[in-house]
Amino acid sequence: MSGDIGLWAVPLAMVGGAIRVSTPFLFVSLGEVITERSGRINLGLEGTLVFGAMAGYALAYMTGSPWIGVLAAAGAGAAFGLLHGLLCSLPRVNDIAIGIALMLLGTGLAFFFGKAFIQPVAPDLPAINLGWWSDLPQVQAALRVNVLFIIGGLLAVALAWMLKRTRIGLTLRVVGDSSDAARALGIRPARVRILATGFGGALAGMGGAYLSLFYPGSWNEGISSGQGLIAVALVIFARWSPVNCFFAALLFGAAGALGPALQSVGVTSGYYLFYAAPFVLTLVVLIASSSKSGALTGAPRELSITK
């Protein structure tokens, strides 16, 4: 089948793969941008992503509606985010340690409650066929875009506007840069951070629902492959900008699609090495974007990684 489009087979497969693979990165990174803009880092998003995937798949199977599954995943993610926020608001509590603990808790609970849903088949999320103009199945498959990807792109623009142009965005930025300044303005930093972390968790849960309800479209214990942790690094690479997160997610998605793209054109030896491309890219971009003067440019000053 790849002979129909010749040398375009790999780039086309990577474009389609970038769109499919980038969506969980996009939702998790957007959620983490809001969390970190409030001055808190949440390393538990891997657990939130996995639990959201399980919860979304389970509710979609039981109700027959994938959108109810998405809402359930968002609710589960928000619960984990709020728990993280509440625990981190206690005195002498480290947000990084709490995040790691909740990552382990989320994955453990997902594996425990998800065993009953490995075999059942839940309905998939709908997709829009933007390749309708072509007769080639490769083009149609590459341009089959899930609705959540479009929602994520619009959400990135909306969040960027919110951070720059609204009172909520100003409050987040003030809390993220200086707790003392926020208190002087009558803002309660702990409350803002709890709500921001809950919102970030909800988006991470939606990213998990995408995994189980569209791509790959099933629930299993290895569904995430560290995407939640990579997304945290993606936020640093994107310099805490929602719009930059969109493009960075596409870049990481293309890296994740490299292995399947090579396999689709008949590369049968060594293509498994390319499945590590997102992890290698994570190291490369962090090293390349790091320097003594500009490593944390744009970082909220209340983040624990800046102190």
Side-chain angles (χ1 to χ4, degrees):
M1 295 178 65
S2 62
D4 296 335
I5 52 177
L7 296 176
W8 289 100
V10 173
L12 188 60
M14 288 189 66
V15 169
I19 294 173
R20 289 190 296 271
V21 178
S22 66
T23 305
F25 289 126
L26 176 59
F27 275 90
V28 178
S29 62
L30 289 177
E32 183 64 4
V33 162
I34 299 302
T35 299
E36 294 191 15
R37 279 299 191 104
S38 73
R40 179 163 289 157
I41 186 170
N42 184 1
L43 293 184
L45 292 178
E46 174 72 7
T48 305
L49 183 76
V50 175
F51 192 85
M54 185 281 298
Y57 194 82
L59 266 293
Y61 169 71
M62 290 188 291
T63 63
S65 170
W67 292 112
I68 292 180
V70 173
L71 292 176
F80 271 90
L82 291 172
L83 178 60
H84 183 282
L86 289 168
L87 290 175
C88 290
S89 65
L90 298 175
R92 295 183 296 277
V93 172
N94 183 275
D95 54 357
I96 294 178
I98 292 297
I100 295 173
L102 288 180
M103 177 180 66
L104 297 175
L105 176 64
T107 52
L109 289 176
F111 295 166
F112 178 78
F113 290 110
K115 290 186 182 295
F117 299 100
I118 293 178
Q119 294 297 329
V121 178
D124 290 337
L125 285 166
I128 300 173
N129 183 18
L130 299 181
W132 55 268
W133 46 270
S134 175
D135 294 330
L136 296 175
Q138 296 96 326
V139 174
Q140 294 182 6
L143 297 181
R144 185 170 174 262
V145 179
N146 185 264
V147 176
L148 280 184
F149 175 78
I150 298 174
I151 293 174
L154 295 175
L155 186 61
V157 176
L159 290 178
W161 176 83
M162 181 271 292
L163 286 171
K164 291 183 178 180
R165 302 294 183 182
T166 68
R167 183 183 180 89
I168 295 175
L170 176 61
T171 300
L172 271 175
R173 290 187 283 120
V174 170
V175 170
D177 283 334
S178 175
S179 296
D180 293 335
R183 292 189 187 96
L185 293 171
I187 302 170
R188 300 175 62 179
R191 176 181 293 180
V192 172
R193 287 173 182 145
I194 290 170
L195 293 176
T197 311
F199 180 78
L203 291 187
M206 292 176 66
Y210 174 89
L211 285 174
S212 59
L213 295 175
F214 185 75
Y215 185 79
S218 62
W219 159 248
N220 61 78
E221 295 180 354
I223 194 169
S224 172
S225 303
Q227 288 171 315
L229 290 172
I230 294 176
V232 176
L234 187 152
V235 172
I236 301 174
F237 174 55
R239 290 296 184 261
W240 295 271
S241 166
V243 174
N244 288 349
C245 281
F246 175 78
F247 294 109
L250 284 174
L251 176 63
F252 277 73
L258 182 58
L262 292 175
Q263 187 182 9
S264 69
V265 296
V267 177
T268 58
S269 60
Y271 69 90
Y272 278 107
L273 293 175
F274 292 96
Y275 281 92
F279 304 97
V280 176
L281 181 61
T282 301
L283 293 174
V284 171
V285 297
L286 288 179
I287 293 172
S289 61
S290 297
S291 66
K292 291 183 178 180
S293 60
L296 295 176
T297 301
R301 289 192 290 269
E302 286 290 329
L303 273 183
S304 56
I305 61 173
T306 65
K307 298 180 178 179

